[in-house]
Amino acid sequence: MTNPTTLPRHPEPADGAGEFNRDVIAEFRTRQGAVGGGLADSPLLLLTVVGARSGEPRTTPLVYLADGERLVVFASNGGSEKDPVWYRNLVAHPEVTVEVGAERYPALAATIDPAEHEALWARQIAAQPQFAGFRSEARTVPLVALTPALTRA
């Protein structure tokens, strides 16, 4: 289990993450989870994973779908045919840190079972129709459940 006190307070985004992600992360943390622009109406979290090769913490802003106690994120990579780096990292190191609003906690990441995949994907498309364009016949977008590692108050 990850001990949140052993992680840097605010890990930086991965090299090459881009100015957009850095700006979103800074705004998210400054405004305790609120962001403006095109993401203003989207449920957003910050996911910190350990780099598979570097061993360094990497933070990425992601849209999520609440599903009971767990949060589901989508490794769509904006419709790319490749999985995003954060997904490859969490497959290698499934102990992650999640930030939602002002809350920060350790979580365990697990790829969603195929039996659940379609129902969750359909819920996400109903909530945010633009996600329909992120999937192709050549690639099924991995969905990842983030389950709190500790009981939260």
Side-chain angles (χ1 to χ4, degrees):
M1 186 176 327
T2 301
N3 179 346
T5 61
T6 62
L7 292 173
R9 176 150 169 73
H10 295 299
E12 292 300 314
D15 292 340
E19 187 174 343
F20 177 80
N21 278 0
R22 281 190 287 280
D23 290 347
V24 169
I25 292 165
E27 182 179 14
F28 183 101
R29 288 177 172 152
T30 299
R31 298 180 62 207
Q32 297 186 336
V35 297
L39 296 172
D41 295 327
S42 297
L44 195 67
L45 61 78
L46 299 183
L47 177 67
T48 300
V49 300
V50 174
R53 291 184 295 200
S54 72
E56 296 294 321
R58 306 293 189 206
T59 301
T60 304
L62 297 170
V63 169
Y64 71 88
L65 177 70
D67 187 53
E69 184 180 50
R70 66 189 187 171
L71 303 177
V72 177
V73 293
F74 309 87
S76 64
N77 207 11
S80 171
E81 292 301 317
K82 295 181 180 180
D83 291 333
V85 173
W86 64 260
Y87 177 72
R88 293 185 301 236
N89 287 338
L90 71 74
V91 167
H93 301 285
E95 293 179 340
V96 301
T97 301
V98 174
E99 295 175 61
V100 178
E103 188 176 16
R104 184 172 191 257
Y105 59 90
L108 297 175
T111 302
I112 296 286
D113 183 270
E116 285 188 275
H117 188 281
E118 288 306 312
L120 289 167
W121 185 252
R123 281 181 52 204
Q124 181 60 18
I125 290 172
Q128 294 188 304
Q130 70 272 22
F131 270 72
F134 294 161
R135 187 163 112 175
S136 70
E137 289 184 25
R139 178 175 175 263
T140 299
V141 172
L143 307 187
V144 177
L146 305 171
T147 303
L150 302 172
T151 303
R152 297 179 296 166

